[in-house]
Amino acid sequence: MNILAIMPQKLQNTANAQQSQAKHNTGFAIPTYGLQKDTVSFSGVNKLAQQATNTISDVIEAKVEREKIRMTRIATTYLDALEAIALSLRDDGISFDRAYCELNPVKSAKSYTSKIVRSGSFKVPDAIRATLYVKNPYDLSLLNDKLLPEMQKRGYILAHTDIKHEELLKRGYLTPPGGNLATAKAYELPDLDIRLEDARDNISQLAPELRYSISKPQKSGYEDIQMRFVREFDKKKNPIQHELIILFGPNYAQAKHIESEKVYNHLRNFGELHMKFEDQTLGSHSQKATRYIDLIREMFVGKVSKKLFLNAKNKDLYDIQDEIPIRFTDDDINLFNTYFSGLKDRVRSCYSEHRKAAAPSALAQRELAASQRHDRALITQIHDGLADTIEYFNHLTGIKDAKTHKTPKDVKDSISKK
């Protein structure tokens, strides 16, 4: 959604002129005013974009807040249906935690708006959401033959969504619906995403129209099945979508929450850096900065995320209570600090290069300085958040590290927060 499309013409013209001037002065491609970010990359046009974004955010939040009572009522009916289905299918290993789902069955106004800001689209497919536990979701016949028919009996049918051809290739499908690669750039398919390990082994258990819905687990190791339903009687152009997430069980749900708070929410902030590191020439400052970010991601995904999800899956699916320990040694912490030090140096060098290439005007230099301050503060914020994550997991172990013989307090003191 582009704010320029609904801004007053005078404001739009001003924004276009400032955007063009900023690009000319700095050499950066200034992003158009959209809901993807609260502000644009450079301070000279920040206030204008912020005012426009805030105005639209306020309008959206107010509208969502007015609809809250009605949406809560619709969500309650949805949870009633899921509870009844889980009760009827309990012998198949399907269960429902009503208390867990009632924590946030309707997306809050602020979260709703944030989703629009991040995605740039007014389509919010999880305005109403819930979770079911299925002990063995790899048995796709439970989904195909039991869960989906039970949902349809209660008036809920799978929504449809457009899947791009490139996405189907990423999922591993060489022959898309219709059989001809050149017939379409996107395909309308049921809004179902089976993100399970080796799920393709059981693809024959799915109805033909669902057989393009298998993708892969996340890089973090996270597995689930996601789907969105609409009410069969809802004939509106944009009917309310009801999201359903299928997880292995309560331990997996807890792991998902912890991983999101301790890892994902910090790592995703790298995407908010104003510097975009477009020069990927081997050995360039931009390429090395990108590599440091990748190394930081790999460290926390490997040492935390994958272990969290594996431990939880072992408990819920296999009833194995033994856990792979999650902790950071002295060597890990030193490497963590080294990565961030290298990242800060490379980002500083990237800005130095852009400063030399930009027009020598006061405006251009102010724009670059403001963006550099933003990025420096954000990198520090990410570092400190992940340092807290290290402390959190090392404290949970409650024992001295086997190699360093240091207690959690000793480890905390060694984490740099400069």
Side-chain angles (χ1 to χ4, degrees):
M1 159 72 191
N2 192 332
I3 293 179
L4 287 176
I6 57 177
M7 289 168 63
Q9 188 62 44
K10 182 177 179 181
L11 182 60
Q12 179 175 331
N13 291 341
T14 303
N16 281 330
Q18 289 185 336
Q19 180 182 8
S20 176
Q21 181 64 26
K23 179 177 180 181
H24 173 75
N25 286 339
T26 65
F28 275 72
I30 310 296
T32 56
Y33 292 90
L35 288 171
Q36 289 88 345
K37 295 186 184 297
D38 286 341
T39 59
V40 293
S41 294
F42 297 97
S43 59
V45 286
N46 275 353
K47 289 184 179 179
L48 185 62
Q50 186 70 63
Q51 289 169 359
T53 303
N54 284 346
T55 299
I56 293 181
S57 296
D58 291 343
V59 170
I60 295 170
E61 285 191 27
K63 183 179 186 301
V64 173
E65 197 62 42
R66 287 196 301 271
E67 291 284 303
K68 189 172 182 178
I69 294 176
R70 183 176 74 94
M71 293 292 285
T72 300
R73 186 170 60 247
I74 294 171
T76 299
T77 302
Y78 182 51
L79 298 186
D80 289 343
L82 291 174
E83 188 170 28
I85 291 171
L87 185 62
S88 68
L89 298 178
R90 60 185 173 183
D91 291 340
D92 294 296
I94 296 178
S95 59
F96 178 71
D97 185 342
R98 180 93 190 207
Y100 174 76
C101 289
E102 283 185 336
L103 292 175
N104 294 291
V106 177
K107 212 172 190 67
S108 70
K110 191 169 291 293
S111 295
Y112 194 100
T113 304
S114 176
K115 182 91 169 186
I116 292 173
V117 168
R118 285 183 281 112
S119 68
S121 169
F122 275 109
K123 184 178 180 181
V124 179
D126 60 345
I128 293 176
R129 63 269 183 97
T131 300
L132 274 181
Y133 300 146
V134 178
K135 186 169 182 61
N136 182 18
Y138 296 118
D139 181 359
L140 298 180
S141 67
L142 292 176
L143 172 70
N144 190 85
D145 303 338
K146 298 190 175 182
L147 178 59
L148 292 179
E150 287 293 328
M151 292 295 290
Q152 186 164 11
K153 270 197 249 179
R154 290 161 177 82
Y156 297 94
I157 58 174
L158 283 175
H160 281 77
T161 188
D162 289 334
I163 302 292
K164 292 182 179 180
H165 173 62
E166 293 82 1
E167 178 61 28
L168 285 176
L169 290 177
K170 288 179 183 178
R171 291 184 177 188
Y173 294 100
L174 298 179
T175 306
N180 189 340
L181 291 175
T183 56
K185 293 182 179 179
Y187 305 88
E188 187 178 77
L189 296 173
D191 199 341
L192 170 67
D193 192 2
I194 301 171
R195 306 191 297 183
L196 298 174
E197 186 179 6
D198 300 326
R200 210 167 298 254
D201 293 344
N202 295 327
I203 195 171
S204 61
Q205 296 176 337
L206 295 173
E209 65 271 16
L210 303 180
R211 292 181 183 177
Y212 286 90
S213 298
I214 296 176
S215 55
K216 300 173 184 177
Q218 302 292 84
K219 291 180 180 179
S220 63
Y222 173 74
E223 299 179 66
D224 70 4
I225 300 177
Q226 293 188 0
M227 65 199 84
R228 279 116 193 164
F229 295 96
V230 293
R231 295 171 295 178
E232 195 165 14
F233 66 82
D234 193 342
K235 303 302 181 183
K236 294 179 181 177
K237 183 178 180 181
N238 295 305
I240 297 172
Q241 298 207 355
H242 301 60
E243 183 179 74
L244 178 61
I245 305 292
I246 290 179
L247 300 176
F248 294 103
N251 291 294
Y252 211 81
Q254 183 184 29
K256 177 185 177 184
H257 173 75
I258 294 173
E259 197 274 344
S260 178
E261 178 185 339
K262 301 298 182 183
V263 179
Y264 175 75
N265 285 346
H266 299 304
L267 294 180
R268 76 175 179 182
N269 283 334
F270 281 123
E272 300 302 315
L273 292 171
H274 288 173
M275 180 64 65
K276 295 308 176 188
F277 312 116
E278 294 176 345
D279 180 8
Q280 288 300 298
T281 304
L282 190 63
S284 68
H285 295 302
S286 179
Q287 188 267 341
K288 288 182 179 179
T290 302
R291 183 58 180 164
Y292 277 124
I293 292 173
D294 290 343
L295 289 170
I296 293 165
R297 282 198 176 106
E298 288 171 11
M299 171 180 278
F300 282 85
V301 166
K303 295 192 70 66
V304 179
S305 304
K306 288 184 178 181
K307 292 179 182 179
L308 270 175
F309 293 128
L310 186 58
N311 287 337
K313 179 179 172 181
N314 283 338
K315 291 177 182 179
D316 288 334
L317 179 60
Y318 302 109
D319 196 24
I320 295 175
Q321 302 303 311
D322 305 286
E323 292 189 353
I324 300 171
I326 301 174
R327 61 174 175 259
F328 292 77
T329 67
D330 245 12
D331 289 341
D332 296 328
I333 293 170
N334 288 336
L335 194 57
F336 165 77
N337 288 321
T338 298
Y339 286 161
F340 268 95
S341 177
L343 175 60
K344 289 178 181 178
D345 287 344
R346 295 303 172 178
V347 170
R348 185 162 50 245
S349 296
C350 286
Y351 272 103
S352 178
E353 289 178 341
H354 280 283
R355 195 172 286 109
K356 291 176 182 177
S361 68
L363 173 61
Q365 297 305 316
R366 284 199 302 270
E367 307 291 4
L368 286 165
S371 280
Q372 187 171 1
R373 286 194 300 272
H374 168 275
D375 286 357
R376 185 167 56 241
L378 184 58
I379 290 172
T380 298
Q381 176 189 325
I382 296 169
H383 172 277
D384 290 353
L386 292 174
D388 287 340
T389 296
I390 292 174
E391 181 188 339
Y392 171 83
F393 284 105
N394 279 359
H395 179 73
L396 283 183
T397 62
I399 58 173
K400 292 184 178 182
D401 182 86
K403 179 178 178 182
T404 65
H405 304 290
K406 290 192 175 184
T407 64
K409 183 180 183 304
D410 296 326
V411 172
K412 176 184 177 182
D413 293 341
S414 69
I415 302 174
S416 169
K417 285 200 173 185
K418 295 180 181 179

